[in-house]
Amino acid sequence: MTSPSMFDANSLDRNLGMELVRVTESAALAGGLWAGRGDKIGVDGAAVRAMRDTLNTVNLRGTVIIGEGEKDEAPMLANGEKVGNGWGPEVDVAVDPVDGTRLCAEGRPNAISVMAIAAAGSMYDPSAFYYMKKISTGPEAADAIDVDASVEENIKNVAKAKNKSVRDITVVVLDRPRHDDLQAAIREAGAKVRLIADGDVAGAVAAAKHGNSVDLMMGIGGTPEGIITAAAMRCMGGAIQGRLWPKTDEEIARAESGQYDTDKVLHTNDLCSTDDCFFCTTGVTNGDMVGGVSFRSHGAYTRSLVMRGTSGTIRFIEGFHRLEKLQALSNEYARGLPQIGSL
């Protein structure tokens, strides 16, 4: 006799993860055509069009909760935009067609195309607060972090939870002037700093990945990336905590009006309240989490990572894309760039 399924029959179909890989692959391929060409808007525009077109073929009824581009005044899938083909489950959607557009434009590593979906109503809506103070780690130390605690206390608690010496703890930090004091505090506590130029989703996932060389991510980064990271943490068993960090005069006024509680600590469950979610990413340029797009005379190779919250399954996928099919992407999204076969 077959035992009943351990999963809710109403949860998102497990095969949906493979459809999402197609979405991030298409964005990575289109954005990758612009790698090293010095044009951030070109990268974003190509990736957004490819992601939207492919996402609208997927069987889902999605609402974009996080569209990312508003923060950077770049091409984007707009917050509130309806995506999917109108069939299938209702879901919240968080996307960043290229997390690390500057990295891609300058030909630097660690640019990724990334998205997350979750059952409708389960993703936090930051309402145009674009930045947050964040701390994130993997499952071994998920209960050891506290965004309100000192840098030294967090590092000591994570080291204890992971059965490591403080001197062996590595903290991922965005390389920004606002983090000069944070870097100093990490080193004063005895730990090591790993600076990244952009892309703190990749940094957070790296810190949560078992056996990786980093243990913790700290600092002020994008709120959109925080929600996407929360979906990844639901899949990986890690944790993220954050607090909204008003930056512009408009955000400060909104916070002072009492509409939003900027003192509230937002935990993983606040940012993504269900395990019924997926996280998917494809490398645009080579990185620590996944390799980038490799264009060849006969086609292109992509490297992707897809995770499912319900089962906790993590899959690495390598794809090969034929030249004649890619050429359509080149014509559609590259706007005058060289033919793929000549790259």
Side-chain angles (χ1 to χ4, degrees):
M1 180 176 178
T2 303
S3 60
S5 170
M6 64 181 289
F7 304 123
D8 185 346
N10 295 317
S11 65
L12 300 179
D13 190 298
R14 61 185 178 182
N15 294 318
L16 190 54
M18 294 304 299
E19 291 294 295
L20 301 182
V21 170
R22 291 175 49 241
V23 175
T24 56
E25 282 177 345
S26 66
L29 286 163
L33 289 167
W34 292 81
R37 300 180 187 278
D39 186 347
K40 288 178 58 179
I41 299 302
V43 172
D44 257 332
V48 165
R49 290 191 296 274
M51 177 170 275
R52 177 183 285 114
D53 288 351
T54 309
L55 186 53
N56 284 336
T57 70
V58 178
N59 287 336
L60 54 81
R61 292 172 290 156
T63 301
V64 176
I65 303 298
I66 298 297
E68 173 60 20
E70 288 184 358
K71 176 169 68 99
D72 301 320
E73 296 183 351
M76 64 176 180
L77 282 93
N79 292 358
E81 181 174 342
K82 302 299 180 182
V83 294
N85 65 7
W87 298 84
E90 291 190 48
V91 297
D92 290 343
V93 180
V95 297
D96 195 345
V98 178
D99 183 23
T101 51
R102 180 168 67 91
L103 300 178
C104 180
E106 296 177 356
R108 298 178 185 271
N110 287 314
I112 59 173
S113 175
V114 62
M115 70 176 299
I117 69 167
S122 59
M123 281 185 175
Y124 179 74
D125 184 350
S127 299
F129 280 91
Y130 297 133
Y131 290 90
M132 68 191 306
K133 180 181 179 183
K134 293 182 278 191
I135 183 169
S136 183
T137 190
E140 294 171 296
D143 296 327
I145 58 173
D146 182 352
V147 73
D148 283 336
S150 68
V151 171
E152 180 180 17
E153 186 177 349
N154 273 302
I155 289 171
K156 286 182 177 179
N157 288 342
V158 168
K160 181 178 180 181
K162 301 187 77 168
N163 196 28
K164 296 175 71 171
S165 168
V166 165
R167 69 174 180 270
D168 293 326
I169 294 294
T170 300
V171 184
V172 176
V173 178
L174 278 171
D175 189 3
R176 300 288 188 274
R178 63 177 178 262
H179 290 150
D180 288 349
D181 290 344
L182 173 60
Q183 290 183 56
I186 292 168
R187 292 179 176 124
E188 187 175 342
K192 297 174 285 186
V193 173
R194 180 167 182 181
L195 291 175
I196 57 174
D198 287 295
D200 61 358
V201 173
V205 171
K209 186 179 175 184
H210 180 71
N212 217 334
S213 60
V214 295
D215 305 281
L216 188 61
M217 187 199 72
M218 300 178 73
I220 295 165
T223 304
E225 289 89 345
I227 283 82
I228 295 174
T229 295
M233 295 303 103
R234 298 290 308 215
C235 297
M236 302 178 79
I240 180 173
Q241 292 182 23
R243 188 196 305 283
L244 296 176
W245 190 71
K247 182 180 179 182
T248 67
D249 291 341
E250 182 182 354
E251 289 175 345
I252 292 170
R254 193 181 299 122
E256 290 176 346
S257 73
Q259 290 177 272
Y260 300 92
D261 185 359
T262 55
D263 291 327
K264 180 182 179 180
V265 174
L266 300 168
H267 295 262
T268 309
N269 194 56
D270 297 309
L271 299 172
C272 181
S273 62
T274 179
D275 284 339
D276 198 12
C277 62
F278 288 90
F279 170 93
C280 183
T281 183
T282 300
V284 182
T285 59
N286 283 327
D288 298 327
M289 184 167 57
V290 285
V293 179
S294 300
F295 290 104
R296 300 290 183 263
S297 60
H298 56 292
Y301 293 89
T302 55
R303 290 88 180 179
S304 302
L305 165 65
V306 60
M307 301 188 284
R308 184 185 180 211
T310 305
S311 63
T313 303
I314 301 172
R315 288 185 171 89
F316 289 89
I317 298 169
E318 182 168 289
F320 172 71
H321 310 268
R322 290 166 50 197
L323 173 62
E324 59 268 29
K325 303 295 185 181
L326 280 179
Q327 203 60 66
L329 276 179
S330 177
N331 294 336
E332 178 71 18
Y333 305 122
R335 290 186 178 174
L337 288 180
Q339 298 285 299
I340 288 176
S342 65
L343 292 175

